[in-house]
């Protein structure tokens, strides 16, 4: 039998069909479930999905027993059309290898050179592609047609991939090439054409310059955080003014200075002194985490710190979005 009578399993709060019916208000639906219980199960046709906003479970999955939870075959099957065998779809040694390779690209020096001026003056996609690949997409101004098409296709694919998690017949839909899978395939062709042409160009440059070969990348979650950060500042002008005042005091920038002059004054040392700015960014992350729900695959039977058990093959998800809204978690927060 699937469930061991000697073990305790989290209470059932519905089925995955309820998620599909509430897809237009998915986060609100999941908040309703989380308000009733911090951890719950949703029944599926072939497995159980466990959702938790309990901090002790959160820490256990990500730290204490990290090796037992990963992407697994399920997440790989859903995401591989889009992200291939990358850091976002792999586990174990392959994941560690790609994580190490990516860390070199996002070195402190590289981020320091681009994160102030380019990151805030352009969209994050432009900045990341410039930092990693040396390609100026200029999607903000739209002067580079292929770059804009790539960006739009990326958004289309992201949405279509998300639907796969809630359409249990998505493999049949893909086989028939109908609905969202049509959009997915069309957009993937745009992305592949852009990326492969870029790879060919970079290889030619690498052969000439004896440089390293390029790596394939995707949009970074920084853009999401910055968008919500600006949104919250617009809603809270008093916070905006305090941040501006702190930056002026910390950098000693003169009134009427240009953006370039301000960027030149911002250093690692005085950024660490901007405590109010850091607090505002942290509050943005609490209210609007770039990844509101993160899914994992359980590799073997386990018992969590809350004394409830999960089974091998269960999909488990921890929910930063809901933890940031749970008063009983007792988090400190600003006046947002």
């Amino acid at each position: 039998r699937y469930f061991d009578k000697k073990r305790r399993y989290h209470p059932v709060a519905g089925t995955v069909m309820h998620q599909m019916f509430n897809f237009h208000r998915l986060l609100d639906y999941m908040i309703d479930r989380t308000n009733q219980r911090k951890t719950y199960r949703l029944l599926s046709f072939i497995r159980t999905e466990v959702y938790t906003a309990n901090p002790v479970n959160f820490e256990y999955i990500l730290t204490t027993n990290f090796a037992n939870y990963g992407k697994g075959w399920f997440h790989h099957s859903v995401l591989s059309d889009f992200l291939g065998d990358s850091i976002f779809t792999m586990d174990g040694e392959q994941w560690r290898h790609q994580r190490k390779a990516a860390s070199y690209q996002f070195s402190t020096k590289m981020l320091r050179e681009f994160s102030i001026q380019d990151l805030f003056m352009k969209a994050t996609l432009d900045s990341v592609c410039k930092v990693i690949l040396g390609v100026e997409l200029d999607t903000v101004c739209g002067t580079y047609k292929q770059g804009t098409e790539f960006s739009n296709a990326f958004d289309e694919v992201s949405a279509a991939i998300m639907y796969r998690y809630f359409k249990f017949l998505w493999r049949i839909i893909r086989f028939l090439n109908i609905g969202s899978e049509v959009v997915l395939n069309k957009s993937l062709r745009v992305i592949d054409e852009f990326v492969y042409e870029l790879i060919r160009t970079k290889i030619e440059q690498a052969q000439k310059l004896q440089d390293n070969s390029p790596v394939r990348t995707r949009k970074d979650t920084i853009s999401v955080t910055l968008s919500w950060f600006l949104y919250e500042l617009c809603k809270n002008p008093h916070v905006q003014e305090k941040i501006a005042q702190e930056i002026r005091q910390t950098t000693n920038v003169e009134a009427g200075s240009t953006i370039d002059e301000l960027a030149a004054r911002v250093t690692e040392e005085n950024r660490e002194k901007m405590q109010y700015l850091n607090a505002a960014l942290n509050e943005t992350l609490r209210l609007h985490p770039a990844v509101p729900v993160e899914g994992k695959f359980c590799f073997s039977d386990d018992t969590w710190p809350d004394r409830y058990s999960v089974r091998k093959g269960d999909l488990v998800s921890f929910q930063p979005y809901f933890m940031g809204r749970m008063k009983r978690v007792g988090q400190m927060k600003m006046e947002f």
Side-chain angles (χ1 to χ4, degrees), residues 267-279:
T267 64
E268 286 288 332
E269 182 179 356
N270 58 33
R271 272 211 304 267
E272 292 178 358
K273 298 178 181 178
M274 299 178 188
Q275 298 180 1
Y276 194 86
L277 173 60
N278 288 331

Side-chain angles (χ1 to χ4, degrees), residues 234-289:
C234 291
K235 286 177 57 180
N236 299 272
H238 65 288
V239 174
Q240 182 180 153
E241 180 54 38
K242 288 183 179 180
I243 291 175
Q245 182 179 357
E246 181 181 63
I247 292 175
R248 287 193 295 267
Q249 292 176 347
T250 305
T251 60
N252 292 320
V253 68
E254 298 178 359
S257 298
T258 65
I259 293 295
D260 290 344
E261 291 170 338
L262 172 61
R265 293 285 190 93
V266 178
T267 64
E268 286 288 332
E269 182 179 356
N270 58 33
R271 272 211 304 267
E272 292 178 358
K273 298 178 181 178
M274 299 178 188
Q275 298 180 1
Y276 194 86
L277 173 60
N278 288 331
L281 287 169
N282 286 332
E283 182 67 355
T284 300
L285 290 170
R286 180 185 74 84
L287 291 171
H288 311 286

Side-chain angles (χ1 to χ4, degrees), residues 119-136:
L119 191 58
F120 286 92
M121 294 297 291
K122 302 177 182 179
T124 300
L125 177 61
D126 293 354
S127 298
V128 170
C129 285
K130 178 66 176 178
V131 171
I132 297 180
L133 301 175
V135 175
E136 189 67 73

